[in-house]
Amino acid sequence: MTKTAWVFPGQGSQAIGMGVDLLELPGARAKFEAASTLLGWSVLDTIQSPEDKVSNTLYTQPCLYVVESLLVDVLKERGYQPDRVAGHSLGEYVALYAAGVYDFETGLGLVKRRAELMSQASDGMMAALIGFDREELMAKLEDTPDVVLANDNNAGQVVISGTPAAVDAVLAGVKAKRGVKLNVSGAFHSPLMAEAATEFQAVLAPVAFQQAQVPVLSNVDPSPSVEPQVLKDRLAQQMTGSVRWREISLQLPQEGIERVVEVGPGNVLTGLIKRTCKDLELVNVGTLAQLEAVAG
């Protein structure tokens, strides 16, 4: 059988109306309603809001978690199982759910608090760089205080995170095909998130993690693990640590993975992986039509 990894996208993959077509599936509406009860606001109303409410960090992360976990449930009900799982930032929470580390409600509770803390982080800035010299960038980051490599997505695309002055200094000092400041509330995946991370740790600490049913490749450490405490420790480091997606992508073939299924809206992760590992078969499952195509 083809050895398969499921990967889960994070913030930035959301879209107005995502997941609404899944309401045709048995049990989908009940899951949306259960999530809304736990969150205290309507997931379906938020997703369908024409004002793009779903792109507000406070709502983006729980909505993505709900839609992606619903897709996980349907895939498993139809007999599919991954051999490895990984998620990009918020997506790691869905990866842990898919691996059986905690139940749906537990994961959603963690994501709800994470989103609240991150939406309140008003200090700092993030910017994406595309088409650059990696040695030049790393040298500039080394020489510039208060800015770090937040997302190492692939060889030609990264995100930096830090104070506005430090991010501006790197953008001005590194030649890149494109540099874009991101519309986010704070310097995610950087030491500037330390206060939020400390608050989140108090929420995470009492939560019981189970041994993963399949190995998980974590953002801060791409080596696969099934150990509950290891996975929990890695998740605790995630808010201030870098998303090492390029290394996760490179690790997949080392694990014998031949096929990668991006479970969630859009195709961000398959696009990133394609540039890193050209021989992997890439599949997207984010809509009802894509789900039925895989099942067929």
Side-chain angles (χ1 to χ4, degrees):
M1 291 182 65
T2 302
K3 205 168 182 182
T4 301
W6 290 359
V7 298
F8 303 92
Q11 199 161 339
S13 290
Q14 73 279 358
I16 296 173
M18 67 176 186
V20 175
D21 57 339
L22 302 178
L23 288 171
E24 294 184 29
L25 297 169
R29 187 173 293 277
K31 187 152 193 173
F32 276 115
E33 290 174 355
S36 299
T37 299
L38 191 153
L39 293 166
W41 46 267
S42 171
V43 175
L44 282 172
D45 287 352
T46 300
I47 286 171
Q48 297 176 92
S49 168
E51 288 80 30
D52 197 20
K53 193 175 178 180
V54 74
S55 287
N56 180 322
T57 294
L58 184 64
Y59 304 110
T60 308
Q61 298 183 19
C63 287
L64 282 170
Y65 176 88
V66 171
V67 171
E68 292 176 21
S69 62
L70 178 56
L71 288 165
V72 167
D73 292 346
V74 177
L75 286 168
K76 287 189 173 184
E77 286 166 6
R78 297 184 178 187
Y80 297 98
Q81 291 287 343
D83 296 288
R84 299 288 186 276
V85 293
H88 193 287
S89 193
L90 176 277
E92 185 168 327
Y93 288 78
V94 192
L96 292 169
Y97 169 70
V101 173
Y102 44 60
D103 62 22
F104 171 75
E105 291 79 9
T106 299
L108 184 57
L110 290 173
V111 168
K112 177 179 185 286
R113 189 62 187 134
R114 180 185 192 262
E116 291 168 349
L117 290 168
M118 291 178 73
S119 69
Q120 295 163 8
S122 57
D123 295 332
M125 177 188 292
M126 300 181 78
L129 284 86
I130 299 168
F132 54 87
D133 182 282
R134 183 168 286 263
E135 286 189 17
E136 180 188 30
L137 173 62
M138 298 310 292
K140 184 65 177 176
L141 288 171
E142 186 72 26
D143 292 342
T144 309
D146 302 321
V147 61
V148 297
L149 184 66
N151 298 355
D152 185 7
N153 288 327
N154 64 27
Q157 182 183 333
V158 300
V159 175
I160 59 173
S161 182
T163 63
V167 170
D168 283 338
V170 173
L171 289 175
V174 175
K175 292 180 182 178
K177 186 180 295 184
R178 194 174 176 212
V180 183
K181 293 178 182 178
L182 303 183
N183 183 24
V184 294
S185 59
F188 303 157
H189 298 293
S190 83
L192 293 180
M193 295 298 293
E195 185 176 337
T198 299
E199 287 191 54
F200 183 70
Q201 177 60 28
V203 178
L204 181 64
V207 175
F209 276 35
Q210 306 303 316
Q211 179 157 315
Q213 295 164 3
V214 297
V216 181
L217 283 66
S218 302
N219 286 194
V220 299
D221 188 338
S223 60
S225 179
V226 297
E227 296 302 321
Q229 194 58 51
V230 170
L231 295 173
K232 193 173 190 178
D233 290 345
R234 290 176 176 180
L235 198 63
Q237 299 166 36
Q238 198 217 65
M239 201 177 283
T240 55
S242 296
V243 177
R244 295 163 61 182
W245 194 257
R246 179 178 61 89
E247 293 172 72
I248 288 175
S249 301
L250 291 169
Q251 184 66 31
L252 293 175
Q254 299 299 315
E255 298 294 309
I257 296 298
E258 303 164 88
R259 187 178 197 234
V260 177
V261 180
E262 181 172 1
V263 182
N267 56 6
V268 170
L269 298 185
T270 47
L272 294 177
I273 293 170
K274 184 177 182 178
R275 293 171 177 81
T276 305
C277 303
K278 300 185 185 301
D279 294 332
L280 290 174
E281 179 190 354
L282 303 173
V283 178
N284 290 90
V285 178
T287 66
L288 183 60
Q290 289 173 333
L291 188 62
E292 299 300 348
V294 168

